[in-house]
Amino acid sequence: MEGWDPQNPILPEVGKLCRSQSEYLDQHFKTQKDVSSSSTSSCLLSEWTKHCSDYDNRLLHLRTTLMDRTLSWISSSFRAKASLSNLNLTLSASSQYGTALKRLLGEDLRLLALQLYRIHFIRQYVETALRLEALVGDLEDVVFSSGNHRPGNMFTKFSTLLTSQDFGVKEERLLKAIKAMNDIEEIIVNVEKSQQWHNLLKSVDHRVDKTLAVLRPEALAEHRALLASFGWPPKLLASKVESRGLSKLLNPLLLMHGDEKKSYAQSFHVLCALQQLHSRREARKFKTLGQKECEIQLWAIDELVSPLAVRMEYHFVKWAEQPEFMFALVYRVTRDFMEGVSDILQPLIDAARLTSYSVNEAWVSAMVHILSGFLTKNVFPVLAERYEEKDMKLEVISLWLHLVDLIVAFDKQMLSLLRYETCLLFPDAQRRGISVLIVFCDRPDWLKNWAKMELKDGWKKLKAVLKDAKAWQIDDKHRVDFDVSTICETFLLSSREAHKAPFVAESALKFAQEMIDRCQTLPVILARAKFVRSTVARFFWYFSNVLLLHCRNAELSPEELDGNSLVRACESINAARYVESKLQEWSDDASFLEMKIAENNSNMEEQHQGFYDDGFFEEEIKCFAELETNWLMEIVAVLLRQFENLTLEYNHTEDSNAFIEALQSLKNQLHVLKKNLNGKDFLDLWRSVADGLDHFICGSILGGDVKFSKKQSNEFGTDMQALFLVFQPFCARPEAFFPCIRDILKLLAMGGEEVKHLLVGKKSEKYMQSYGISHLRFDQVEKTLRKLKF
């Protein structure tokens, strides 16, 4: 008893007894008489004595059992140890047999491990198969054994008006089936991660697909019946005509109330759950990695649009010769019903946890699909067939391009309805369903025909511009004199006027931009890239040939070089420079970078390593840059040859009049070029002319037989100062661009002692630099000094 000390027989205080002890004493000693009664005390003593004896016997039994089991374990341990020792001694005694025995034991252990793993594998397979069989069986029971209906009569129940009770039962059954399929999908996904039980999974997928083939039509049929019950689809053409146009169409979705609204929400939820399951299964089957591209199309939205499509196509057929009415009707229906669709369906989508879906995107995409589907089936095939007939080509091109104009305008209108939606932040995966131009993405032959028509139309427009007398005109207000103080601003070329480009260059860029804009809503990037390659890129190749022909017609010749020839060449060079700069801007744009990446990915194995560094219009840019460089060098060469022809007499007789005449002619030509050539190219041109004159005059002196007296040296210095003055308007220190002439002037100004020291000194660059000579070799220095007469 707790609280009792055998060494101290005095009973504890009442307050120190536990509750069970107090209750025990109260039970046996109810009165004072019971305490003093010897019979009661004797009975209790005998009872307690018996309990103590029983506990002692039990304790002794436990000790005996523990001792026996301990001895047995020790004995077994000793026997096992002895057996292992004997086995080891036996194996050690006979190495040959020991090795074989060890190998045998090792092989047996390996086989034993394999058998254990096989048993575990079979057990795991059986458990999984039984679990899947149970789930699939329950699913089939729910779907094919619902109530008293046979599978063959599955759809007969939708032909009558749905009651609220029937509807609830059907919804519950569909949701139960969807939940079962989700559970099955969870198991399949886990099995695919750890095992390769293809036959099992294939069998389960087949049975689940068979079930889905029943559930989906059932759910869709039920949803259609609901839509029809509250008047969907509505009338597309209102009967009331107001002064400002047709009255707004009534939306039955906004007229739902009570049980109708509740039933529609439940049916919508079932369709969304079924679509989620379907998408999940498709993603697994196709081994989709990472985040799967979100589908804009919702089954519930498709069910809204399908009956609308039937009614619309009735009107489309009547408007085959007036396609603008088709686009107007689709846009009007999309816009008028969009508010109701958004207000009613978006909360349902959010409740279904379809976080990556937007009802407005799905609605607009589905409506666009109606029109694109009709055009694909009934309009473009006819136009494509007639395009092959030579007599009909012009008419077909006109109709085709008019239709594309309508499509481009329509796409912009439809995208404007989604201006506040996030879909425009995503690339083509989400924009794919929001463009009627999708008809060209799946038909490369139509895309090719369209590109040919656009190129032909653009070239036709450009030829009309070229016939205008003002096509090659440059704005007079930008033909300003070259000012050294504003030289930096002159080279910051941005606009056509800054480039001094003719109007034809602006027109060419405008027509190219129109082609680009017309394909901007092409949903597939690679298709868009192919279209731009076939139209814009080829158009600029044609335009480069126009510029080249314009330059050749200038007929630059050193014998008959006039201002008009130089102006014609400048017009082409300025146009090429301007187009080149614009093409570089376009290549740096994000849309063209996307197209370039798409091309790289599609031609990965065929392209060389440096392909990724090029811009989209890299080849076209090189073409225009080459045209500029070639004709700048042609102008430089003509100017230098003319200068050489005019200074032939000066080189032989030192007649300054001939040299001054050549300088005057050069000055006039440079003035014409400065006035008509863009600042960047003119900078390269006059520096190239200066460099050419520097080498020409230096070579004339070194190769001639003229001797320089003091007077002749001064006259030569004066002539060179006149040469420097020709280039004075273009820089602050023109002599810096004539290094060889500057060294010759230093040599001609030397005295006799300096000449002597320089000739007998070290023949090294460092030694010549001490005299200020840095651009002539020693043999050239020596040849020049020996021409001096003292």
Side-chain angles (χ1 to χ4, degrees):
M1 181 184 296
E2 186 179 352
W4 171 257
D5 188 357
Q7 302 297 328
N8 187 8
I10 301 175
L11 293 174
E13 297 179 3
V14 177
K16 294 183 178 180
L17 294 174
C18 66
R19 183 177 179 180
S20 60
Q21 292 172 342
S22 299
E23 291 177 351
Y24 182 82
L25 293 175
D26 291 342
Q27 182 181 359
H28 292 84
F29 301 99
K30 298 179 180 179
T31 62
Q32 186 67 28
K33 184 179 178 179
D34 293 335
V35 176
S36 58
S37 175
S38 59
S39 60
T40 303
S41 300
S42 299
C43 290
L44 289 174
L45 179 61
S46 61
E47 183 182 350
W48 290 349
T49 302
K50 184 177 182 302
H51 286 324
C52 289
S53 177
D54 292 341
Y55 286 136
D56 288 340
N57 291 334
R58 189 178 299 176
L59 181 61
L60 180 62
H61 177 71
L62 290 173
R63 287 177 178 173
T64 303
T65 303
L66 178 63
M67 183 64 68
D68 291 341
R69 295 190 176 182
T70 302
L71 291 174
S72 176
W73 182 85
I74 292 174
S75 177
S76 300
S77 176
F78 280 139
R79 285 197 302 271
K81 183 177 181 181
S83 298
L84 291 174
S85 298
N86 293 334
L87 178 63
N88 189 39
L89 290 173
T90 304
L91 294 174
S92 301
S94 177
S95 60
Q96 181 179 0
Y97 296 105
T99 302
L101 185 58
K102 287 181 180 179
R103 188 183 302 111
L104 180 62
L105 290 174
E107 183 67 20
D108 289 342
L109 290 175
R110 187 183 68 83
L111 293 175
L112 178 61
L114 291 175
Q115 289 296 326
L116 289 175
Y117 176 77
R118 184 170 175 270
I119 292 171
H120 173 72
F121 182 83
I122 293 173
R123 178 183 177 183
Q124 189 178 13
Y125 179 87
V126 170
E127 289 177 350
T128 303
L130 290 175
R131 188 178 177 190
L132 285 172
E133 176 61 32
L135 288 173
V136 175
D138 292 343
L139 172 64
E140 291 173 341
D141 289 341
V142 170
V143 175
F144 297 110
S145 303
S146 175
N148 297 321
H149 293 284
R150 297 192 306 273
N153 298 329
M154 180 71 66
F155 303 105
T156 58
K157 46 195 170 182
F158 298 112
S159 59
T160 60
L161 184 63
L162 293 171
T163 65
S164 178
Q165 185 176 1
D166 289 342
F167 180 81
V169 172
K170 293 166 188 172
E171 293 297 318
E172 182 180 355
R173 184 172 64 85
L174 286 171
L175 289 174
K176 188 175 180 180
I178 292 170
K179 182 180 183 305
M181 286 187 286
N182 276 317
D183 293 339
I184 294 171
E185 191 66 20
E186 285 290 341
I187 296 176
I188 291 177
V189 169
N190 292 331
V191 169
E192 280 192 338
K193 291 179 180 178
S194 57
Q195 304 293 346
Q196 298 295 326
W197 299 333
H198 296 298
N199 291 333
L200 174 63
L201 300 184
K202 185 177 179 180
S203 174
V204 172
D205 272 336
H206 176 72
R207 294 171 67 182
V208 173
D209 287 340
K210 190 176 179 181
T211 305
L212 268 175
V214 172
L215 282 181
R216 180 177 177 181
E218 180 180 344
L220 293 176
E222 186 171 327
H223 196 75
R224 288 191 203 106
L226 271 176
L227 290 173
S229 67
F230 57 80
W232 189 273
K235 293 182 179 180
L236 300 182
L237 298 178
S239 58
K240 182 180 178 181
V241 180
E242 299 178 349
S243 58
R244 295 184 179 178
L246 293 174
S247 62
K248 190 172 183 180
L249 301 175
L250 293 178
N251 189 346
L253 294 176
L254 296 176
L255 303 178
M256 289 190 303
H257 57 82
D259 291 340
E260 280 185 345
K261 195 169 185 179
K262 182 179 179 181
S263 299
Y264 181 77
Q266 291 175 348
S267 180
F268 190 94
H269 176 68
V270 168
L271 280 186
C272 290
L274 198 60
Q275 184 172 3
Q276 276 188 312
L277 172 66
H278 174 78
S279 300
R280 184 182 178 191
R281 287 176 56 79
E282 290 303 310
R284 173 179 59 80
K285 289 179 181 179
F286 289 104
K287 307 293 183 182
T288 305
L289 301 177
Q291 183 179 2
K292 189 176 183 290
E293 294 179 347
C294 171
E295 298 174 271
I296 295 179
Q297 296 298 336
L298 286 169
W299 292 353
I301 296 294
D302 290 341
E303 290 307 308
L304 284 175
V305 171
S306 295
L308 284 176
V310 175
R311 291 196 175 183
M312 283 185 175
E313 288 185 6
Y314 169 77
H315 298 287
F316 290 168
V317 172
K318 295 189 299 182
W319 296 334
E321 301 298 327
Q322 297 170 305
E324 57 271 12
F325 290 166
M326 302 181 194
F327 293 92
L329 177 62
V330 175
Y331 174 71
R332 181 166 175 268
V333 171
T334 306
R335 181 199 61 196
D336 289 353
F337 290 165
M338 191 166 183
E339 180 181 357
V341 168
S342 179
D343 293 345
I344 300 298
L345 301 189
Q346 189 61 53
L348 298 180
I349 288 178
D350 296 339
R353 298 181 180 179
L354 299 176
T355 55
S356 57
Y357 285 86
S358 165
V359 68
N360 286 345
E361 296 171 30
W363 171 251
V364 172
S365 174
M367 296 301 293
V368 169
H369 185 70
I370 292 176
L371 186 54
S372 63
F374 181 81
L375 295 177
T376 302
K377 294 177 183 177
N378 303 285
V379 178
F380 278 108
V382 177
L383 291 178
E385 185 177 351
R386 292 169 61 188
Y387 181 70
E388 301 301 327
E389 302 174 12
K390 293 183 179 181
D391 298 339
M392 302 296 294
K393 264 192 192 264
L394 293 179
E395 181 182 351
V396 171
I397 290 175
S398 177
L399 292 174
W400 192 303
L401 294 181
H402 175 62
L403 195 56
V404 170
D405 288 336
L406 294 175
I407 290 175
V408 171
F410 175 78
D411 284 347
K412 291 180 180 178
Q413 284 183 316
M414 299 300 275
L415 289 174
S416 69
L417 296 177
L418 298 174
R419 59 186 179 276
Y420 299 119
E421 296 293 324
T422 57
C423 72
L424 297 182
L425 299 177
F426 295 95
D428 298 328
Q430 295 226 351
R431 196 172 59 186
R432 179 173 175 82
I434 311 179
S435 175
V436 181
L437 290 181
I438 194 174
V439 300
F440 296 107
C441 297
D442 300 324
R443 292 295 302 265
D445 53 334
W446 292 357
L447 183 69
K448 185 178 180 181
N449 288 343
W450 176 30
K452 289 180 179 179
M453 296 175 191
E454 290 288 352
L455 178 61
K456 188 173 183 179
D457 184 64
W459 183 239
K460 181 180 177 181
K461 293 177 182 177
L462 184 64
K463 287 197 293 185
V465 171
L466 289 171
K467 292 178 182 178
D468 190 349
K470 297 181 179 179
W472 296 99
Q473 218 174 58
I474 301 175
D475 292 347
D476 291 333
K477 62 180 180 179
H478 289 276
R479 300 173 185 256
V480 295
D481 290 337
F482 203 96
D483 187 358
V484 176
S485 62
T486 60
I487 189 170
C488 293
E489 298 179 3
T490 306
F491 302 139
L492 298 177
L493 308 179
S494 57
S495 62
R496 179 188 66 82
E497 293 80 5
H499 282 86
K500 297 183 180 179
F503 291 109
V504 68
E506 190 72 63
S507 299
L509 288 169
K510 176 185 174 184
F511 300 147
Q513 184 66 61
E514 288 175 356
M515 296 182 209
I516 294 171
D517 292 341
R518 287 162 70 80
C519 73
Q520 278 301 308
T521 54
L522 260 174
V524 179
I525 298 179
L526 189 58
R528 203 183 322 146
K530 290 179 178 178
F531 179 83
V532 175
R533 289 284 183 212
S534 301
T535 55
V536 178
R538 192 168 296 180
F539 178 80
F540 279 123
W541 282 104
Y542 292 165
F543 184 63
S544 68
N545 289 332
V546 171
L547 299 182
L548 181 61
L549 183 61
H550 190 68
C551 283
R552 288 175 178 172
N553 290 338
E555 298 181 354
L556 298 176
S557 171
E559 290 78 16
E560 298 180 1
L561 185 61
D562 57 6
N564 290 333
S565 299
L566 292 175
V567 169
R568 290 177 69 91
C570 289
E571 289 167 352
S572 285
I573 293 172
N574 291 343
R577 167 69 70 178
Y578 181 49
V579 173
E580 176 193 348
S581 67
K582 287 299 179 181
L583 288 179
Q584 189 60 59
E585 288 181 18
W586 291 355
S587 295
D588 294 337
D589 185 76
S591 62
F592 286 100
L593 292 176
E594 286 180 345
M595 287 189 275
K596 186 63 176 179
I597 293 172
E599 286 184 331
N600 290 342
N601 293 337
S602 65
N603 302 307
M604 184 77 72
E605 299 178 357
E606 301 176 9
Q607 303 302 334
H608 299 291
Q609 188 172 358
F611 187 79
Y612 287 92
D613 298 331
D614 298 337
F616 187 84
F617 291 108
E618 187 68 23
E619 293 300 321
E620 291 74 21
I621 290 173
K622 289 179 180 178
C623 175
F624 285 107
E626 184 178 350
L627 187 147
E628 296 168 47
T629 303
N630 290 344
W631 283 94
L632 280 174
M633 292 300 100
E634 182 69 20
I635 294 175
V636 170
V638 169
L639 292 177
L640 292 177
R641 287 199 299 271
Q642 185 189 56
F643 186 86
E644 180 183 6
N645 293 339
L646 295 176
T647 55
L648 286 175
E649 186 177 352
Y650 173 77
N651 294 333
H652 294 289
T653 63
E654 299 181 28
D655 183 4
S656 294
N657 292 330
F659 189 77
I660 296 301
E661 181 184 352
L663 290 182
Q664 185 61 44
S665 176
L666 178 63
K667 181 179 180 181
N668 293 337
Q669 306 297 357
L670 289 176
H671 177 74
V672 172
L673 292 168
K674 175 188 65 175
K675 188 176 181 180
N676 292 277
L677 193 60
N678 68 83
K680 193 171 184 180
D681 283 330
F682 181 71
L683 174 66
D684 295 336
L685 183 138
W686 75 256
R687 287 183 174 181
S688 298
V689 171
D691 184 65
L693 291 174
D694 185 50
H695 286 85
F696 169 70
I697 295 174
C698 178
S700 299
I701 292 174
L702 295 175
D705 299 329
V706 179
K707 298 292 185 178
F708 288 93
S709 62
K710 188 67 174 177
K711 178 182 178 182
Q712 290 170 320
S713 297
N714 291 335
E715 289 177 354
F716 178 77
T718 302
D719 293 340
M720 294 304 103
Q721 290 301 322
L723 173 63
F724 298 158
L725 287 176
V726 171
F727 293 88
Q728 185 70 51
F730 316 138
C731 59
R733 295 180 61 252
E735 62 274 11
F737 296 93
F738 297 88
C740 295
I741 293 177
R742 195 171 66 246
D743 284 356
I744 289 176
L745 290 176
K746 291 178 182 178
L747 293 174
L748 296 180
M750 286 184 178
E753 291 298 323
E754 288 181 304
V755 171
K756 181 178 180 181
H757 285 297
L758 189 56
L759 288 174
V760 300
K762 298 179 179 179
K763 299 181 181 180
S764 65
E765 292 183 3
K766 188 174 181 180
Y767 182 74
M768 288 191 296
Q769 287 175 0
S770 65
Y771 286 89
I773 309 300
S774 57
H775 292 86
L776 295 177
R777 301 189 307 274
F778 184 82
D779 60 320
Q780 294 174 328
V781 171
E782 183 179 15
K783 188 178 294 185
T784 303
L785 292 178
R786 296 194 183 281
K787 293 178 179 293
L788 291 176
K789 294 190 299 184
F790 295 101

